[in-house]
Amino acid sequence: DAGVIQSPRHEVTEMGQEVTLRCKPISGHNSLFWYRQTMMRGLELLIYFNNNVPIDDSGMPEDRFSAKMPNASFSTLKIQPSEPRDSAVYFCASSPVSGANVLTFGAGSRLTVL
Amino acid sequence: AQSVAQPEDQVNVAEGNPLTVKCTYSVSGNPYLFWYVQYPNRGLQFLLKYITGDNLVKGSYGFEAEFNKSQTSFHLKKPSALVSDSALYFCAVRGVYNQGGKLIFGQGTELSVKP
């Protein structure tokens, strides 16, 4: 298995533009997580899905952020409009559904908003 | 609410010396506890986990961690540090009753091992 695949690896955009980050989880994993990592705030959980259904989106910063999982093999995190404070590394992770299972992380998408 | 604290932003160790990276947690009920490592420009990689049973858990690359319920701690240890162990280390917790739910990470501790 190729692991969790994220794209793009790097994105530089201007304030106000729409940004879409993509994630392909490991086949057979039923849970998918989006995390954001910054120096100031560390690793924050934005949203997670079980069986394609959003379970907890309390970490999504505001309405500018949205996430979808239309099927078991694909998820998107969209920011519209983007702002400089959204600059961060965004990680997608997946795991089998159950409490003790290990998350497998993608390599991350580094977003810079100018 | 679940939370994790890593009290040290940075730990400096000489190669060959033992290392400890500290972690304390707060969770309702019994915890599942994890350690992950992050190398520069990479995603997090799993090191080890505690579910139940023996309080000393052994993981990848010679790392181990000791679960202490009374102190709500899960410190990461290694008897002899290598320069290649230099990385960012994250402790994480999930409550047993939070099946399929949130995994909460600490702020991370940067480990620097000098030759």
Side-chain angles (χ1 to χ4, degrees):
Chain A
D1 200 321
V4 177
I5 310 282
Q6 290 188 247
S7 65
R9 288 295 312 277
H10 301 274
E11 174 94 4
V12 180
T13 190
E14 293 187 344
M15 184 173 63
Q17 296 298 306
E18 178 179 296
V19 173
T20 299
L21 308 178
R22 298 172 178 81
C23 176
K24 176 179 169 53
I26 290 175
S27 178
H29 281 190
N30 303 102
S31 290
L32 183 139
F33 303 78
W34 282 100
Y35 285 88
R36 177 172 70 176
Q37 185 178 33
T38 61
M39 289 289 290
M40 292 298 294
R41 302 170 73 99
L43 201 58
E44 303 172 276
L45 176 63
L46 301 178
I47 185 172
Y48 73 93
F49 297 82
N50 283 350
N51 297 314
N52 312 337
V53 177
I55 302 301
D56 186 342
D57 65 355
S58 60
M60 295 286 264
E62 47 198 270
D63 292 345
R64 297 185 298 107
F65 285 69
S66 62
K68 294 182 179 180
M69 193 165 185
N71 57 62
S73 59
F74 184 65
S75 177
T76 59
L77 178 67
K78 186 175 293 186
I79 309 172
Q80 166 64 16
S82 58
E83 296 182 3
R85 60 191 167 126
D86 302 331
S87 297
V89 181
Y90 291 81
F91 287 104
C92 177
S94 69
S95 79
V97 174
S98 88
N101 276 298
V102 172
L103 268 64
T104 301
F105 281 78
S109 294
R110 181 176 297 275
L111 173 65
T112 302
V113 184
L114 302 174
Chain B
Q2 302 170 185
S3 67
V4 176
Q6 293 180 240
E8 300 154 318
D9 290 336
Q10 185 162 14
V11 170
N12 297 308
V13 177
E15 188 174 32
N17 283 1
L19 69 87
T20 298
V21 183
K22 295 179 181 178
C23 171
T24 59
Y25 67 91
S26 174
V27 69
S28 298
N30 292 322
Y32 295 138
L33 293 157
F34 303 79
W35 276 102
Y36 285 79
V37 61
Q38 185 181 30
Y39 298 100
N41 300 314
R42 303 284 295 275
L44 278 70
Q45 299 176 29
F46 170 73
L47 273 181
L48 52 79
K49 68 179 178 182
Y50 170 82
I51 303 174
T52 187
D54 193 347
N55 288 343
L56 186 64
V57 177
K58 294 188 184 297
S60 307
Y61 312 121
F63 284 94
E64 57 189 28
E66 186 166 12
F67 171 62
N68 187 316
K69 188 172 184 177
S70 63
Q71 297 185 6
T72 61
S73 68
F74 190 57
H75 300 331
L76 181 70
K77 300 181 180 184
K78 187 172 182 180
S80 178
L82 300 172
V83 172
S84 57
D85 293 331
S86 299
L88 189 57
Y89 290 81
F90 290 93
C91 182
V93 68
R94 173 187 283 158
V96 168
Y97 298 116
N98 195 6
Q99 294 291 322
K102 290 182 179 181
L103 187 62
I104 302 300
F105 286 85
Q107 287 292 97
T109 298
E110 185 169 355
L111 174 65
S112 177
V113 182
K114 301 293 188 192

